[in-house]
Short mmCIF file of all heavy atoms in Angstrom, two decimals:
data_model
loop_
_atom_site.label_atom_id
_atom_site.label_comp_id
_atom_site.label_asym_id
_atom_site.label_seq_id
_atom_site.Cartn_x
_atom_site.Cartn_y
_atom_site.Cartn_z
N MET A 298 -2.16 -3.59 -12.01
CA MET A 298 -1.35 -4.21 -10.99
C MET A 298 -1.96 -3.96 -9.60
O MET A 298 -2.01 -4.87 -8.78
CB MET A 298 0.07 -3.66 -11.05
CG MET A 298 1.01 -4.29 -10.07
SD MET A 298 2.71 -3.81 -10.27
CE MET A 298 2.75 -2.35 -9.28
N VAL A 299 -2.40 -2.73 -9.37
CA VAL A 299 -2.99 -2.40 -8.08
C VAL A 299 -4.32 -3.15 -7.90
O VAL A 299 -4.57 -3.73 -6.83
CB VAL A 299 -3.19 -0.88 -7.93
CG1 VAL A 299 -3.94 -0.55 -6.66
CG2 VAL A 299 -1.83 -0.18 -7.94
N ALA A 300 -5.13 -3.18 -8.92
CA ALA A 300 -6.42 -3.88 -8.83
C ALA A 300 -6.21 -5.38 -8.61
O ALA A 300 -6.93 -6.00 -7.82
CB ALA A 300 -7.24 -3.65 -10.10
N ALA A 301 -5.23 -5.96 -9.28
CA ALA A 301 -4.93 -7.38 -9.08
C ALA A 301 -4.45 -7.65 -7.66
O ALA A 301 -4.80 -8.67 -7.06
CB ALA A 301 -3.90 -7.84 -10.10
N SER A 302 -3.68 -6.74 -7.11
CA SER A 302 -3.20 -6.90 -5.74
C SER A 302 -4.34 -6.81 -4.73
O SER A 302 -4.36 -7.55 -3.74
CB SER A 302 -2.15 -5.84 -5.41
OG SER A 302 -1.03 -6.01 -6.24
N VAL A 303 -5.28 -5.91 -4.97
CA VAL A 303 -6.44 -5.81 -4.09
C VAL A 303 -7.29 -7.07 -4.17
O VAL A 303 -7.76 -7.59 -3.15
CB VAL A 303 -7.27 -4.54 -4.43
CG1 VAL A 303 -8.60 -4.54 -3.68
CG2 VAL A 303 -6.47 -3.30 -4.11
N ALA A 304 -7.47 -7.60 -5.37
CA ALA A 304 -8.23 -8.84 -5.54
C ALA A 304 -7.51 -10.00 -4.85
O ALA A 304 -8.15 -10.81 -4.17
CB ALA A 304 -8.43 -9.14 -7.02
N LEU A 305 -6.20 -10.07 -5.00
CA LEU A 305 -5.41 -11.11 -4.33
C LEU A 305 -5.54 -10.98 -2.82
O LEU A 305 -5.71 -11.98 -2.11
CB LEU A 305 -3.95 -11.03 -4.74
CG LEU A 305 -2.99 -11.96 -4.00
CD1 LEU A 305 -3.32 -13.41 -4.30
CD2 LEU A 305 -1.55 -11.64 -4.37
N SER A 306 -5.50 -9.77 -2.32
CA SER A 306 -5.64 -9.54 -0.89
C SER A 306 -7.01 -9.97 -0.39
O SER A 306 -7.12 -10.56 0.70
CB SER A 306 -5.41 -8.05 -0.58
OG SER A 306 -5.57 -7.81 0.78
N ALA A 307 -8.04 -9.72 -1.16
CA ALA A 307 -9.39 -10.15 -0.77
C ALA A 307 -9.49 -11.68 -0.72
O ALA A 307 -10.08 -12.24 0.21
CB ALA A 307 -10.42 -9.59 -1.75
N VAL A 308 -8.90 -12.34 -1.69
CA VAL A 308 -8.90 -13.80 -1.70
C VAL A 308 -8.13 -14.35 -0.51
O VAL A 308 -8.56 -15.30 0.16
CB VAL A 308 -8.34 -14.35 -3.03
CG1 VAL A 308 -8.10 -15.85 -2.97
CG2 VAL A 308 -9.26 -14.00 -4.17
N LEU A 309 -6.98 -13.75 -0.22
CA LEU A 309 -6.19 -14.19 0.93
C LEU A 309 -6.95 -13.98 2.24
O LEU A 309 -6.91 -14.83 3.13
CB LEU A 309 -4.86 -13.44 0.97
CG LEU A 309 -3.83 -13.85 -0.07
CD1 LEU A 309 -2.68 -12.87 -0.09
CD2 LEU A 309 -3.34 -15.26 0.18
N ALA A 310 -7.66 -12.88 2.35
CA ALA A 310 -8.44 -12.61 3.56
C ALA A 310 -9.58 -13.62 3.70
O ALA A 310 -9.87 -14.09 4.81
CB ALA A 310 -8.99 -11.19 3.53
N LEU A 311 -10.21 -13.98 2.60
CA LEU A 311 -11.27 -14.98 2.65
C LEU A 311 -10.74 -16.36 3.01
O LEU A 311 -11.46 -17.17 3.60
CB LEU A 311 -11.99 -15.05 1.30
CG LEU A 311 -12.89 -13.86 0.98
CD1 LEU A 311 -13.40 -13.96 -0.46
CD2 LEU A 311 -14.04 -13.80 1.95
N CYS A 312 -9.48 -16.61 2.69
CA CYS A 312 -8.84 -17.89 3.04
C CYS A 312 -8.23 -17.85 4.43
O CYS A 312 -7.46 -18.73 4.80
CB CYS A 312 -7.77 -18.23 2.01
SG CYS A 312 -8.43 -18.58 0.38
N ASP A 313 -8.53 -16.80 5.19
CA ASP A 313 -8.07 -16.64 6.57
C ASP A 313 -6.55 -16.45 6.67
O ASP A 313 -5.93 -16.84 7.64
CB ASP A 313 -8.53 -17.81 7.44
CG ASP A 313 -8.69 -17.41 8.88
OD1 ASP A 313 -8.94 -16.21 9.14
OD2 ASP A 313 -8.58 -18.28 9.75
N GLN A 314 -5.97 -15.85 5.66
CA GLN A 314 -4.55 -15.51 5.66
C GLN A 314 -4.41 -14.00 5.81
O GLN A 314 -3.99 -13.30 4.90
CB GLN A 314 -3.89 -15.98 4.34
CG GLN A 314 -3.94 -17.47 4.13
CD GLN A 314 -3.08 -18.19 5.15
OE1 GLN A 314 -1.99 -17.77 5.48
NE2 GLN A 314 -3.60 -19.29 5.65
N LEU A 315 -4.77 -13.51 6.99
CA LEU A 315 -4.85 -12.07 7.20
C LEU A 315 -3.49 -11.39 7.13
O LEU A 315 -3.39 -10.26 6.65
CB LEU A 315 -5.53 -11.77 8.53
CG LEU A 315 -6.97 -12.24 8.63
CD1 LEU A 315 -7.55 -11.90 9.98
CD2 LEU A 315 -7.80 -11.64 7.52
N PHE A 316 -2.44 -12.04 7.59
CA PHE A 316 -1.11 -11.43 7.52
C PHE A 316 -0.72 -11.18 6.07
O PHE A 316 -0.27 -10.09 5.71
CB PHE A 316 -0.06 -12.31 8.19
CG PHE A 316 1.34 -11.81 7.97
CD1 PHE A 316 1.79 -10.68 8.64
CD2 PHE A 316 2.19 -12.44 7.07
CE1 PHE A 316 3.07 -10.19 8.43
CE2 PHE A 316 3.46 -11.96 6.86
CZ PHE A 316 3.91 -10.83 7.54
N TRP A 317 -0.90 -12.17 5.23
CA TRP A 317 -0.51 -12.02 3.82
C TRP A 317 -1.41 -11.02 3.09
O TRP A 317 -0.95 -10.30 2.21
CB TRP A 317 -0.50 -13.37 3.12
CG TRP A 317 0.56 -14.26 3.69
CD1 TRP A 317 0.37 -15.36 4.45
CD2 TRP A 317 1.97 -14.08 3.59
NE1 TRP A 317 1.59 -15.88 4.83
CE2 TRP A 317 2.59 -15.11 4.31
CE3 TRP A 317 2.78 -13.13 2.96
CZ2 TRP A 317 3.97 -15.24 4.41
CZ3 TRP A 317 4.16 -13.26 3.07
CH2 TRP A 317 4.75 -14.30 3.78
N ALA A 318 -2.67 -10.97 3.46
CA ALA A 318 -3.58 -10.00 2.86
C ALA A 318 -3.16 -8.57 3.22
O ALA A 318 -3.09 -7.68 2.37
CB ALA A 318 -5.01 -10.26 3.30
N THR A 319 -2.84 -8.37 4.50
CA THR A 319 -2.40 -7.05 4.95
C THR A 319 -1.06 -6.68 4.32
O THR A 319 -0.86 -5.54 3.88
CB THR A 319 -2.27 -7.03 6.49
OG1 THR A 319 -3.51 -7.43 7.05
CG2 THR A 319 -1.90 -5.67 7.00
N LEU A 320 -0.16 -7.63 4.27
CA LEU A 320 1.16 -7.38 3.68
C LEU A 320 1.04 -7.02 2.19
O LEU A 320 1.74 -6.13 1.71
CB LEU A 320 2.05 -8.60 3.86
CG LEU A 320 3.50 -8.44 3.45
CD1 LEU A 320 4.20 -7.42 4.35
CD2 LEU A 320 4.23 -9.76 3.49
N THR A 321 0.14 -7.68 1.49
CA THR A 321 -0.05 -7.40 0.06
C THR A 321 -0.49 -5.95 -0.15
O THR A 321 0.07 -5.24 -0.99
CB THR A 321 -1.10 -8.36 -0.53
OG1 THR A 321 -0.66 -9.69 -0.35
CG2 THR A 321 -1.32 -8.09 -2.01
N ILE A 322 -1.48 -5.50 0.61
CA ILE A 322 -1.96 -4.13 0.46
C ILE A 322 -0.88 -3.13 0.88
O ILE A 322 -0.68 -2.10 0.23
CB ILE A 322 -3.25 -3.91 1.29
CG1 ILE A 322 -4.38 -4.75 0.72
CG2 ILE A 322 -3.65 -2.44 1.32
CD1 ILE A 322 -4.84 -4.33 -0.66
N ALA A 323 -0.16 -3.43 1.97
CA ALA A 323 0.88 -2.52 2.44
C ALA A 323 2.01 -2.38 1.42
O ALA A 323 2.47 -1.28 1.14
CB ALA A 323 1.43 -3.01 3.78
N VAL A 324 2.43 -3.49 0.86
CA VAL A 324 3.53 -3.45 -0.12
C VAL A 324 3.10 -2.73 -1.38
O VAL A 324 3.85 -1.89 -1.91
CB VAL A 324 4.04 -4.88 -0.43
CG1 VAL A 324 4.95 -4.90 -1.63
CG2 VAL A 324 4.75 -5.45 0.79
N ILE A 325 1.91 -2.99 -1.89
CA ILE A 325 1.47 -2.32 -3.11
C ILE A 325 1.29 -0.83 -2.88
O ILE A 325 1.54 -0.02 -3.78
CB ILE A 325 0.22 -2.98 -3.73
CG1 ILE A 325 0.07 -2.59 -5.21
CG2 ILE A 325 -1.02 -2.60 -3.00
CD1 ILE A 325 1.15 -3.07 -6.10
N SER A 326 0.90 -0.45 -1.68
CA SER A 326 0.78 0.96 -1.36
C SER A 326 2.14 1.66 -1.40
O SER A 326 2.29 2.74 -1.97
CB SER A 326 0.15 1.12 0.01
OG SER A 326 0.15 2.47 0.40
N MET A 327 3.14 1.01 -0.80
CA MET A 327 4.49 1.60 -0.80
C MET A 327 5.12 1.58 -2.19
O MET A 327 5.81 2.52 -2.57
CB MET A 327 5.36 0.90 0.24
CG MET A 327 4.94 1.25 1.66
SD MET A 327 6.06 0.66 2.90
CE MET A 327 5.37 -0.92 3.26
N VAL A 328 4.86 0.53 -2.95
CA VAL A 328 5.38 0.47 -4.33
C VAL A 328 4.76 1.57 -5.18
O VAL A 328 5.46 2.23 -5.96
CB VAL A 328 5.14 -0.93 -4.95
CG1 VAL A 328 5.37 -0.92 -6.44
CG2 VAL A 328 6.02 -1.95 -4.26
N SER A 329 3.47 1.80 -5.03
CA SER A 329 2.83 2.86 -5.80
C SER A 329 3.36 4.24 -5.39
O SER A 329 3.47 5.13 -6.23
CB SER A 329 1.31 2.80 -5.67
OG SER A 329 0.91 3.10 -4.37
N ALA A 330 3.70 4.41 -4.11
CA ALA A 330 4.30 5.67 -3.68
C ALA A 330 5.69 5.85 -4.29
O ALA A 330 6.05 6.95 -4.69
CB ALA A 330 4.38 5.71 -2.16
N ILE A 331 6.45 4.78 -4.38
CA ILE A 331 7.78 4.85 -5.00
C ILE A 331 7.65 5.17 -6.48
O ILE A 331 8.41 6.00 -7.01
CB ILE A 331 8.55 3.53 -4.78
CG1 ILE A 331 8.92 3.39 -3.30
CG2 ILE A 331 9.79 3.47 -5.65
CD1 ILE A 331 9.48 2.04 -2.92
N VAL A 332 6.69 4.55 -7.15
CA VAL A 332 6.47 4.84 -8.58
C VAL A 332 6.12 6.31 -8.77
O VAL A 332 6.64 6.98 -9.67
CB VAL A 332 5.36 3.93 -9.16
CG1 VAL A 332 4.90 4.41 -10.53
CG2 VAL A 332 5.84 2.50 -9.23
N ARG A 333 5.25 6.84 -7.92
CA ARG A 333 4.87 8.26 -8.00
C ARG A 333 6.07 9.16 -7.75
O ARG A 333 6.24 10.17 -8.41
CB ARG A 333 3.76 8.55 -6.99
CG ARG A 333 3.34 10.01 -6.93
CD ARG A 333 2.57 10.43 -8.16
NE ARG A 333 1.95 11.71 -7.96
CZ ARG A 333 2.25 12.80 -8.68
NH1 ARG A 333 3.13 12.74 -9.66
NH2 ARG A 333 1.65 13.94 -8.43
N LEU A 334 6.92 8.78 -6.80
CA LEU A 334 8.10 9.57 -6.48
C LEU A 334 9.11 9.58 -7.62
O LEU A 334 9.68 10.61 -7.97
CB LEU A 334 8.75 9.03 -5.20
CG LEU A 334 9.94 9.79 -4.64
CD1 LEU A 334 9.52 11.20 -4.23
CD2 LEU A 334 10.53 9.05 -3.46
N VAL A 335 9.30 8.43 -8.24
CA VAL A 335 10.29 8.31 -9.31
C VAL A 335 9.79 8.96 -10.60
O VAL A 335 10.54 9.69 -11.27
CB VAL A 335 10.64 6.83 -9.55
CG1 VAL A 335 11.48 6.65 -10.81
CG2 VAL A 335 11.38 6.25 -8.35
N LEU A 336 8.56 8.73 -10.96
CA LEU A 336 8.04 9.22 -12.25
C LEU A 336 7.57 10.67 -12.21
O LEU A 336 7.46 11.30 -13.27
CB LEU A 336 6.90 8.33 -12.73
CG LEU A 336 7.28 6.91 -13.10
CD1 LEU A 336 6.06 6.15 -13.57
CD2 LEU A 336 8.37 6.88 -14.15
N ARG A 337 7.26 11.19 -11.04
CA ARG A 337 6.80 12.56 -10.86
C ARG A 337 5.67 12.94 -11.81
O ARG A 337 4.58 12.44 -11.68
CB ARG A 337 7.96 13.54 -10.96
CG ARG A 337 8.96 13.30 -9.86
CD ARG A 337 9.71 14.58 -9.56
NE ARG A 337 10.57 14.37 -8.41
CZ ARG A 337 10.27 14.77 -7.19
NH1 ARG A 337 9.17 15.42 -6.98
NH2 ARG A 337 11.09 14.55 -6.19
N THR A 338 5.91 13.76 -12.81
CA THR A 338 4.83 14.24 -13.68
C THR A 338 4.38 13.18 -14.69
O THR A 338 3.29 13.29 -15.23
CB THR A 338 5.26 15.50 -14.46
OG1 THR A 338 6.41 15.20 -15.23
CG2 THR A 338 5.56 16.63 -13.49
N ARG A 339 5.19 12.17 -14.94
CA ARG A 339 4.82 11.12 -15.89
C ARG A 339 4.09 9.96 -15.20
O ARG A 339 3.83 8.94 -15.81
CB ARG A 339 6.05 10.58 -16.60
CG ARG A 339 6.77 11.64 -17.43
CD ARG A 339 8.03 11.09 -18.01
NE ARG A 339 8.82 10.54 -16.90
CZ ARG A 339 9.89 9.78 -17.04
NH1 ARG A 339 10.30 9.47 -18.24
NH2 ARG A 339 10.55 9.32 -16.00
N SER A 340 3.80 10.13 -13.93
CA SER A 340 3.14 9.07 -13.16
C SER A 340 1.76 8.77 -13.74
O SER A 340 1.05 9.68 -14.17
CB SER A 340 3.01 9.52 -11.71
OG SER A 340 2.31 8.56 -10.96
N PRO A 341 1.35 7.50 -13.72
CA PRO A 341 0.03 7.15 -14.26
C PRO A 341 -1.13 7.62 -13.38
O PRO A 341 -2.26 7.64 -13.82
CB PRO A 341 0.07 5.63 -14.34
CG PRO A 341 1.12 5.21 -13.39
CD PRO A 341 2.12 6.33 -13.32
N TRP A 342 -0.87 8.00 -12.16
CA TRP A 342 -1.93 8.55 -11.29
C TRP A 342 -1.39 9.75 -10.54
O TRP A 342 -0.28 9.76 -10.06
CB TRP A 342 -2.47 7.51 -10.32
CG TRP A 342 -1.41 6.89 -9.47
CD1 TRP A 342 -0.92 7.35 -8.30
CD2 TRP A 342 -0.69 5.70 -9.75
NE1 TRP A 342 0.05 6.52 -7.83
CE2 TRP A 342 0.22 5.50 -8.70
CE3 TRP A 342 -0.72 4.78 -10.80
CZ2 TRP A 342 1.08 4.41 -8.66
CZ3 TRP A 342 0.14 3.71 -10.75
CH2 TRP A 342 1.02 3.53 -9.70
N LYS A 343 -2.21 10.76 -10.48
CA LYS A 343 -1.84 12.00 -9.79
C LYS A 343 -3.08 12.47 -9.03
O LYS A 343 -4.11 12.73 -9.64
CB LYS A 343 -1.41 13.06 -10.78
CG LYS A 343 -0.23 12.67 -11.63
CD LYS A 343 -0.02 13.68 -12.73
CE LYS A 343 0.82 13.03 -13.80
NZ LYS A 343 0.66 13.59 -15.08
N ILE A 344 -2.96 12.60 -7.73
CA ILE A 344 -4.08 13.08 -6.94
C ILE A 344 -3.84 14.53 -6.56
O ILE A 344 -4.62 15.40 -6.84
CB ILE A 344 -4.31 12.20 -5.70
CG1 ILE A 344 -4.66 10.79 -6.15
CG2 ILE A 344 -5.41 12.77 -4.84
CD1 ILE A 344 -4.70 9.78 -5.06
N ARG A 345 -2.74 14.77 -5.91
CA ARG A 345 -2.35 16.12 -5.51
C ARG A 345 -0.90 16.32 -5.94
O ARG A 345 -0.54 16.00 -7.04
CB ARG A 345 -2.50 16.30 -3.99
CG ARG A 345 -3.89 16.12 -3.48
CD ARG A 345 -4.63 17.40 -3.56
NE ARG A 345 -5.97 17.19 -2.98
CZ ARG A 345 -6.87 18.10 -2.99
NH1 ARG A 345 -6.64 19.26 -3.51
NH2 ARG A 345 -8.04 17.86 -2.47
N SER A 346 -0.10 16.80 -5.02
CA SER A 346 1.32 16.98 -5.32
C SER A 346 2.06 15.67 -5.10
O SER A 346 1.53 14.73 -4.51
CB SER A 346 1.91 18.06 -4.40
OG SER A 346 1.89 17.60 -3.06
N VAL A 347 3.30 15.60 -5.57
CA VAL A 347 4.11 14.40 -5.41
C VAL A 347 4.31 14.10 -3.93
O VAL A 347 4.17 12.95 -3.49
CB VAL A 347 5.47 14.55 -6.13
CG1 VAL A 347 6.37 13.37 -5.84
CG2 VAL A 347 5.26 14.70 -7.63
N GLY A 348 4.61 15.11 -3.14
CA GLY A 348 4.83 14.91 -1.71
C GLY A 348 3.60 14.38 -1.01
O GLY A 348 3.68 13.49 -0.16
N PHE A 349 2.44 14.94 -1.34
CA PHE A 349 1.17 14.50 -0.75
C PHE A 349 0.90 13.04 -1.08
O PHE A 349 0.59 12.24 -0.20
CB PHE A 349 0.05 15.39 -1.28
CG PHE A 349 -1.31 15.07 -0.75
CD1 PHE A 349 -1.76 15.65 0.41
CD2 PHE A 349 -2.16 14.20 -1.44
CE1 PHE A 349 -3.03 15.37 0.90
CE2 PHE A 349 -3.42 13.91 -0.96
CZ PHE A 349 -3.86 14.49 0.22
N ASP A 350 1.02 12.69 -2.36
CA ASP A 350 0.75 11.32 -2.78
C ASP A 350 1.72 10.33 -2.14
O ASP A 350 1.32 9.26 -1.69
CB ASP A 350 0.85 11.21 -4.30
CG ASP A 350 -0.25 11.99 -5.01
OD1 ASP A 350 -1.24 12.37 -4.34
OD2 ASP A 350 -0.11 12.23 -6.22
N CYS A 351 3.00 10.68 -2.10
CA CYS A 351 4.00 9.78 -1.52
C CYS A 351 3.81 9.64 -0.01
O CYS A 351 3.94 8.54 0.53
CB CYS A 351 5.41 10.28 -1.83
SG CYS A 351 5.82 10.12 -3.57
N PHE A 352 3.51 10.74 0.66
CA PHE A 352 3.28 10.67 2.10
C PHE A 352 2.16 9.69 2.42
O PHE A 352 2.30 8.82 3.29
CB PHE A 352 2.94 12.05 2.68
CG PHE A 352 2.49 11.99 4.11
CD1 PHE A 352 3.42 11.83 5.12
CD2 PHE A 352 1.15 12.08 4.42
CE1 PHE A 352 2.99 11.74 6.45
CE2 PHE A 352 0.73 12.02 5.74
CZ PHE A 352 1.65 11.84 6.76
N PHE A 353 1.04 9.81 1.73
CA PHE A 353 -0.09 8.93 2.04
C PHE A 353 0.15 7.50 1.59
O PHE A 353 -0.33 6.56 2.22
CB PHE A 353 -1.39 9.50 1.46
CG PHE A 353 -1.96 10.57 2.33
CD1 PHE A 353 -1.79 11.90 2.00
CD2 PHE A 353 -2.61 10.25 3.49
CE1 PHE A 353 -2.28 12.90 2.82
CE2 PHE A 353 -3.12 11.24 4.32
CZ PHE A 353 -2.94 12.57 3.99
N GLY A 354 0.90 7.30 0.52
CA GLY A 354 1.24 5.93 0.11
C GLY A 354 2.10 5.23 1.14
O GLY A 354 1.83 4.09 1.54
N PHE A 355 3.16 5.91 1.59
CA PHE A 355 4.04 5.32 2.60
C PHE A 355 3.32 5.20 3.95
O PHE A 355 3.49 4.21 4.66
CB PHE A 355 5.32 6.13 2.75
CG PHE A 355 6.25 5.99 1.58
CD1 PHE A 355 6.66 7.10 0.87
CD2 PHE A 355 6.71 4.75 1.18
CE1 PHE A 355 7.52 6.98 -0.20
CE2 PHE A 355 7.57 4.61 0.10
CZ PHE A 355 7.98 5.73 -0.60
N ALA A 356 2.54 6.21 4.32
CA ALA A 356 1.83 6.18 5.60
C ALA A 356 0.82 5.03 5.63
O ALA A 356 0.67 4.36 6.67
CB ALA A 356 1.14 7.51 5.85
N LEU A 357 0.13 4.79 4.54
CA LEU A 357 -0.82 3.68 4.49
C LEU A 357 -0.09 2.35 4.67
O LEU A 357 -0.51 1.50 5.45
CB LEU A 357 -1.61 3.68 3.18
CG LEU A 357 -2.57 2.50 2.99
CD1 LEU A 357 -3.67 2.54 4.05
CD2 LEU A 357 -3.16 2.52 1.60
N GLY A 358 1.01 2.17 3.95
CA GLY A 358 1.75 0.91 4.05
C GLY A 358 2.29 0.67 5.45
O GLY A 358 2.10 -0.41 6.03
N ILE A 359 2.93 1.66 6.02
CA ILE A 359 3.50 1.52 7.36
C ILE A 359 2.39 1.42 8.40
O ILE A 359 2.47 0.62 9.34
CB ILE A 359 4.45 2.70 7.67
CG1 ILE A 359 5.67 2.63 6.74
CG2 ILE A 359 4.87 2.70 9.12
CD1 ILE A 359 6.51 3.88 6.74
N GLY A 360 1.33 2.19 8.24
CA GLY A 360 0.22 2.16 9.18
C GLY A 360 -0.50 0.82 9.21
O GLY A 360 -0.89 0.34 10.28
N LEU A 361 -0.69 0.21 8.04
CA LEU A 361 -1.33 -1.10 8.01
C LEU A 361 -0.49 -2.14 8.73
O LEU A 361 -1.02 -2.96 9.49
CB LEU A 361 -1.57 -1.54 6.56
CG LEU A 361 -2.75 -0.92 5.86
CD1 LEU A 361 -2.74 -1.30 4.38
CD2 LEU A 361 -4.04 -1.35 6.50
N LEU A 362 0.81 -2.13 8.49
CA LEU A 362 1.69 -3.10 9.15
C LEU A 362 1.74 -2.86 10.66
O LEU A 362 1.72 -3.80 11.45
CB LEU A 362 3.09 -3.04 8.55
CG LEU A 362 3.18 -3.51 7.09
CD1 LEU A 362 4.59 -3.31 6.56
CD2 LEU A 362 2.75 -4.95 6.97
N ALA A 363 1.79 -1.59 11.08
CA ALA A 363 1.82 -1.28 12.49
C ALA A 363 0.51 -1.67 13.17
O ALA A 363 0.50 -2.20 14.29
CB ALA A 363 2.09 0.21 12.69
N THR A 364 -0.61 -1.43 12.51
CA THR A 364 -1.90 -1.80 13.06
C THR A 364 -2.03 -3.31 13.20
O THR A 364 -2.48 -3.83 14.23
CB THR A 364 -3.05 -1.26 12.19
OG1 THR A 364 -2.91 0.16 12.10
CG2 THR A 364 -4.41 -1.61 12.76
N TYR A 365 -1.60 -4.04 12.19
CA TYR A 365 -1.65 -5.51 12.25
C TYR A 365 -0.77 -6.01 13.40
O TYR A 365 -1.19 -6.88 14.17
CB TYR A 365 -1.20 -6.12 10.93
CG TYR A 365 -1.26 -7.63 10.94
CD1 TYR A 365 -2.47 -8.28 10.69
CD2 TYR A 365 -0.15 -8.40 11.26
CE1 TYR A 365 -2.56 -9.66 10.73
CE2 TYR A 365 -0.24 -9.79 11.31
CZ TYR A 365 -1.43 -10.40 11.04
OH TYR A 365 -1.52 -11.77 11.09
N ALA A 366 0.44 -5.46 13.52
CA ALA A 366 1.34 -5.88 14.60
C ALA A 366 0.74 -5.56 15.96
O ALA A 366 0.83 -6.38 16.89
CB ALA A 366 2.69 -5.20 14.43
N ALA A 367 0.13 -4.40 16.11
CA ALA A 367 -0.46 -4.01 17.39
C ALA A 367 -1.61 -4.94 17.76
O ALA A 367 -1.75 -5.33 18.93
CB ALA A 367 -0.96 -2.57 17.32
N ILE A 368 -2.42 -5.32 16.81
CA ILE A 368 -3.53 -6.21 17.08
C ILE A 368 -3.02 -7.61 17.47
O ILE A 368 -3.54 -8.23 18.40
CB ILE A 368 -4.49 -6.30 15.87
CG1 ILE A 368 -5.22 -4.97 15.71
CG2 ILE A 368 -5.47 -7.46 16.01
CD1 ILE A 368 -6.00 -4.84 14.42
N MET A 369 -1.98 -8.07 16.82
CA MET A 369 -1.42 -9.39 17.12
C MET A 369 -0.73 -9.40 18.49
O MET A 369 -0.66 -10.45 19.13
CB MET A 369 -0.45 -9.83 16.05
CG MET A 369 -1.11 -10.17 14.72
SD MET A 369 -2.24 -11.55 14.89
CE MET A 369 -3.80 -10.79 14.55
N LEU A 370 -0.24 -8.27 18.94
CA LEU A 370 0.46 -8.20 20.23
C LEU A 370 -0.48 -8.03 21.42
O LEU A 370 -0.03 -8.05 22.55
CB LEU A 370 1.48 -7.07 20.21
CG LEU A 370 2.68 -7.29 19.27
CD1 LEU A 370 3.55 -6.06 19.22
CD2 LEU A 370 3.47 -8.51 19.69
N LEU A 371 -1.76 -7.83 21.16
CA LEU A 371 -2.72 -7.66 22.26
C LEU A 371 -2.88 -8.93 23.06
O LEU A 371 -2.90 -9.99 22.70
CB LEU A 371 -4.08 -7.22 21.74
CG LEU A 371 -4.15 -5.77 21.31
CD1 LEU A 371 -5.53 -5.46 20.75
CD2 LEU A 371 -3.88 -4.84 22.48
#
């Protein structure tokens, strides 16, 4: 699911749909953080602790959206 979302985002970016490409990566990042938070030890991916993984998943999603918004507001 994550790999398909990254591929979709790349296609969207090549089609000059940068908002949708950024939104796709941001949403999949936050969804993967939610999956890690809910599944805890049964999660399909584990990098560090649950808190560490969730923090970076949510931070990436929010950070991408904030960066896109800041660039558009310039």
Side-chain angles (χ1 to χ4, degrees):
M298 183 173 87
V299 174
S302 297
V303 170
L305 174 64
S306 179
V308 170
L309 287 169
L311 288 172
C312 294
D313 208 26
Q314 298 293 319
L315 297 180
F316 172 74
W317 294 110
T319 304
L320 187 66
T321 301
I322 294 293
V324 168
I325 199 65
S326 174
M327 289 189 269
V328 167
S329 66
I331 291 170
V332 167
R333 177 71 168 117
L334 185 63
V335 170
L336 294 181
R337 297 207 174 259
T338 59
R339 298 175 306 168
S340 176
W342 55 86
K343 301 171 199 155
I344 298 171
R345 299 273 183 185
S346 66
V347 174
F349 181 88
D350 293 345
C351 291
F352 171 77
F353 280 101
F355 288 123
L357 176 64
I359 294 168
L361 282 172
L362 294 175
T364 303
Y365 181 82
I368 291 170
M369 290 298 115
L370 291 174
L371 285 177

